[in-house]
Amino acid sequence: MQKIIVLDFGAQYGQLIARRVRDLHVYSEIMPCDATAAEIAEAQPSAIILSGGPASVYAQDAPRVDPGIFELGLPVLGFCYGQQIMATALGGSVGHTEKGEYGPAPLTRIGESRLLAGTPEEQTVWMSHRDAVRAAPEGFTATSATDTCPVASMEDTERNFYATQFHPEVRHTPYGNDMLSNFLFDICGLEPSWTMEGLVDSLVSDIREQVGRDRVILALSGGVDSSVVAALCSRAIGKQLTCVFVNHGLLRKGEPEQVEKVFTRQFDVDFVHVHAEERYARLLADVTDPEQKRRIIGTQFWKEFFAVAQDLADEGRPVKFLAQGTIYPDIIESGARKTGGKASTIKSHHNLIPFPEGVHFDLIEPLDHFFKDEVRALGTALDLPDSIVHRQPFPGPGLAIRIIGAVSPEKLEILKNADAIVREELDAYNARLFEETGERNSEHSCWQYFAVLPDIRSVGVMGDERTYARPVILRAVESSDAMTADWAKLPYDVLARISSRIVAEVPGVNRVAYDITSKPPATIEWE
Ligand code: XMP
């Protein structure tokens, strides 16, 4: 398979480049910058890209590159720090610029260039650097410059080495994608032939090779990440996979049934539905503190999960691997990967799971290179239903943190029914927007929406009778990453329908309020 290896000189940089290459239908993955030339050669790439990074090439602990990579006979492309490291390794010189260059910069092309071919003589590029190449190594010519940077890009067409000081991978370099296309298709002679189906095949064969005849266990939540891993493992190893679905009774209406249906009828795995509803109900009966709810739910979850692993071992089917739906942004958020590399990731994730004494699993994390929308595309390629692939985010502690105060069966019943109406109406609203705009998360579509049950009652009147019943709060937000959010500007008719349906169809509710607070200062969830 044609493959580009991106050597990652700093978190955030490498993955974005790999992503842009995949968007052009060439498979790409990252390797840590300290990979040796021999390790890289073993991966059989078609070319190498050196990413940017936050260090100065002159710093004591600056990441280095194995100079042997320039002897592999492969095309090499470097961006920013990648250009500087290429220049230093091949005999050019790098120095400090007076004030650095940050943000958009006007660039002027110089002479012919294979990398910049077809892009304007004058254009804007995105810069972020203090150091810069002063003199290109022998064999290279400078192909563009900015006010601060005499060698904004350089190339040696004999040896097929290319580099830019600017960042073609970011959207703020409008012709960056053309440059990447020039490299992949004109310079490396690759074909844009890689597809999601191709990715499924290669992930499946990697899993098969890693697992052999051993047994794998997976905590299946019904969310997109764990479901995609389950579907991949199912295709790779079938019933060697045990999917453990811990039902804590705090999922949304209809969800446990749907997960069970997909993973028993559509995928051929060993599916264990752990009915832990009553145990959770007892544990949560008097708990009102949100963080304590979270702790109890999380701790019990792993107890239930490890009990299944133990049962399998007792039956003579010991588990060697734990499969997880870790995706690339999870790794960035946990700060596990500073300069690329898997070892550090495995450690940090092990730390997150409270393994009982003496329990050890090897990890399988097939999605750890990918962004959420790529994982969704994989899910579609694996024939997972849209309801799973495009499921909105749902917190691990489930409805327990949407019931203010103690959780009781009566409150859970009310919340599940009210929430089902909210989802039905807003799913339909989002579907209408999708039809109109062709975008799933268009400007006004709701990103996350649900009902919250506060711990109060209020007076109402229904028919001729006075009621003293519960209100339900509607929460619907627009967001792209949950870090910030704004309340959704829903049309009045949609709000009116949700309100009248909840009051009419959910016994015990006589009022609906809409939360019109952004995040910050509020959070998306109420607890
Ligand atoms: P907040 O409420 O902090 O939520 O604005 C941001 C996003 O995170 C989800 N969330 C959680 N997810 N366990 C989870 O797995 C949790 O304890 C938890 N708390 C909040 C929330 O639904 C939103 O998408």
Side-chain angles (χ1 to χ4, degrees):
M1 183 175 69
Q2 299 177 341
K3 170 162 66 177
I4 300 290
I5 293 288
V6 178
L7 285 192
D8 189 11
F9 289 92
Q12 342 151 18
Y13 295 90
Q15 271 302 343
L16 187 57
I17 299 170
R19 167 70 201 262
R20 296 282 177 251
V21 173
R22 294 196 293 265
D23 283 348
L24 290 167
H25 301 287
V26 174
Y27 185 61
S28 176
E29 58 184 43
I30 65 166
M31 285 179 82
C33 57
D34 56 3
T36 63
E39 284 166 343
I40 293 167
E42 203 184 340
Q44 300 189 317
S46 315
I48 301 168
I49 300 181
L50 312 176
S51 86
S56 160
V57 280
Y58 291 117
Q60 274 288 320
D61 54 354
R64 307 265 168 243
V65 71
D66 179 349
I69 68 161
F70 297 105
E71 309 289 329
L72 294 173
L74 295 172
V76 184
L77 173 62
F79 297 154
C80 193
Y81 188 80
Q83 179 187 35
Q84 295 163 19
I85 210 138
M86 185 186 289
T88 343
L90 298 175
S93 70
V94 174
H96 289 304
T97 59
E98 214 155 80
K99 50 182 170 49
E101 215 176 5
Y102 302 94
L107 175 101
T108 307
R109 285 184 53 181
I110 308 167
E112 291 293 307
S113 163
R114 284 187 79 182
L115 188 68
L116 310 184
T119 71
E121 291 300 313
E122 308 280 338
Q123 56 184 293
T124 302
V125 294
W126 188 261
M127 289 286 198
S128 177
H129 69 105
R130 186 77 208 240
D131 297 344
V133 172
R134 277 210 184 110
E138 210 178 306
F140 280 79
T141 48
T143 54
S144 69
T146 65
D147 284 349
T148 331
C149 207
V151 189
S153 60
M154 61 181 196
E155 59 190 54
D156 174 344
T157 50
E158 281 288 302
R159 291 183 289 176
N160 262 341
F161 296 155
Y162 301 81
T164 66
Q165 179 55 61
F166 52 88
H167 289 272
E169 75 275 25
V170 304
R171 295 282 179 228
H172 310 287
T173 298
Y175 295 93
N177 226 27
D178 300 79
M179 298 168 197
L180 207 47
S181 293
N182 285 342
F183 181 70
L184 297 174
F185 307 125
D186 175 45
I187 295 166
C188 301
L190 302 176
E191 293 289 328
S193 56
W194 178 76
T195 57
M196 273 296 154
E197 286 72 19
L199 176 61
V200 168
D201 291 343
S202 82
L203 291 175
V204 162
S205 82
D206 289 351
I207 294 170
R208 268 192 203 132
E209 195 177 316
Q210 191 182 354
V211 171
R213 306 184 62 79
D214 287 305
R215 178 149 286 284
V216 180
I217 197 165
L218 167 83
L220 186 67
S221 67
V224 55
D225 305 336
S226 65
S227 298
V228 168
V229 174
L232 275 173
C233 289
S234 148
R235 200 173 277 196
I237 53 166
K239 284 200 181 298
Q240 279 166 265
L241 171 70
T242 298
C243 286
V244 182
F245 176 63
V246 177
N247 187 349
H248 49 24
L250 305 165
L251 292 169
R252 292 170 291 192
K253 192 173 180 176
E255 223 161 29
E257 295 77 8
Q258 191 212 12
V259 174
E260 173 152 359
K261 190 167 147 206
V262 170
F263 288 96
T264 52
R265 305 229 186 116
Q266 195 184 339
F267 293 95
D268 187 28
V269 298
D270 178 33
F271 182 86
V272 180
H273 188 149
V274 181
H275 283 284
E277 298 96 316
E278 286 182 10
R279 288 190 286 281
Y280 273 95
R282 276 197 298 277
L283 284 167
L284 290 171
D286 302 314
V287 183
T288 53
D289 176 62
E291 288 311 302
Q292 204 188 340
K293 285 182 187 173
R294 281 190 172 81
R295 268 194 305 279
I296 291 172
I297 294 167
T299 311
Q300 185 64 18
F301 179 88
W302 290 111
K303 270 192 197 157
E304 301 281 349
F305 179 80
F306 287 120
V308 176
Q310 189 57 50
D311 287 348
L312 289 168
D314 293 345
E315 290 162 17
R317 298 192 292 161
V319 176
K320 175 154 186 218
F321 293 98
L322 173 70
Q324 287 209 108
T326 315
I327 67 170
Y328 182 66
D330 299 334
I331 292 170
I332 288 289
E333 272 160 32
S334 69
R337 191 181 295 192
K338 293 281 190 291
T339 55
K342 287 182 86 80
S344 51
T345 317
I346 287 170
K347 202 161 146 239
S348 89
H349 282 277
H350 264 290
N351 289 344
L352 293 180
I353 301 172
F355 283 96
E357 271 293 303
V359 170
H360 170 84
F361 297 116
D362 288 346
L363 284 192
I364 297 181
E365 294 182 303
L367 308 181
D368 65 349
H369 282 329
F370 302 105
F371 289 89
K372 195 78 173 188
D373 58 328
E374 293 181 296
V375 173
R376 290 194 210 278
L378 260 175
T380 302
L382 285 157
D383 288 331
L384 281 167
D386 265 8
S387 54
I388 289 184
V389 168
H390 295 287
R391 199 178 87 142
Q392 52 171 311
F394 185 67
L399 301 181
I401 58 163
R402 293 176 180 172
I403 291 175
I404 313 304
V407 178
S408 69
E410 176 234 344
K411 288 184 189 166
L412 258 176
E413 183 66 16
I414 292 176
L415 184 60
K416 280 183 188 174
N417 288 327
D419 186 71
I421 294 170
V422 171
R423 276 192 295 144
E424 212 178 293
E425 293 296 333
L426 292 184
D427 283 350
Y429 169 73
N430 269 352
R432 284 198 297 278
L433 286 181
F434 180 40
E435 222 162 74
E436 282 163 24
T437 63
E439 281 177 62
R440 280 220 184 253
N441 198 17
S442 64
E443 198 185 350
H444 293 297
S445 53
C446 296
W447 189 77
Q448 195 174 8
Y449 38 99
F450 51 88
V452 176
L453 193 66
D455 202 17
I456 52 170
R457 287 171 199 262
S458 77
V459 174
V461 53
M462 272 182 180
D464 294 332
E465 275 185 42
R466 176 186 182 278
T467 57
Y468 188 54
R470 295 187 179 280
V472 158
I473 293 156
L474 168 65
R475 183 69 164 144
V477 297
E478 298 164 6
S479 177
S480 59
D481 55 10
M483 302 296 284
T484 60
D486 198 4
W487 58 280
K489 311 298 180 298
L490 294 171
Y492 285 155
D493 63 320
V494 174
L495 287 170
R497 203 162 39 248
I498 292 174
S499 165
S500 56
R501 276 196 62 192
I502 290 177
V503 173
E505 294 173 34
V506 184
V509 177
N510 65 354
R511 197 180 286 271
V512 175
Y514 188 28
D515 178 353
I516 51 167
T517 332
S518 61
K519 172 184 178 176
T523 50
I524 296 176
E525 302 289 349
W526 271 53
E527 284 201 333

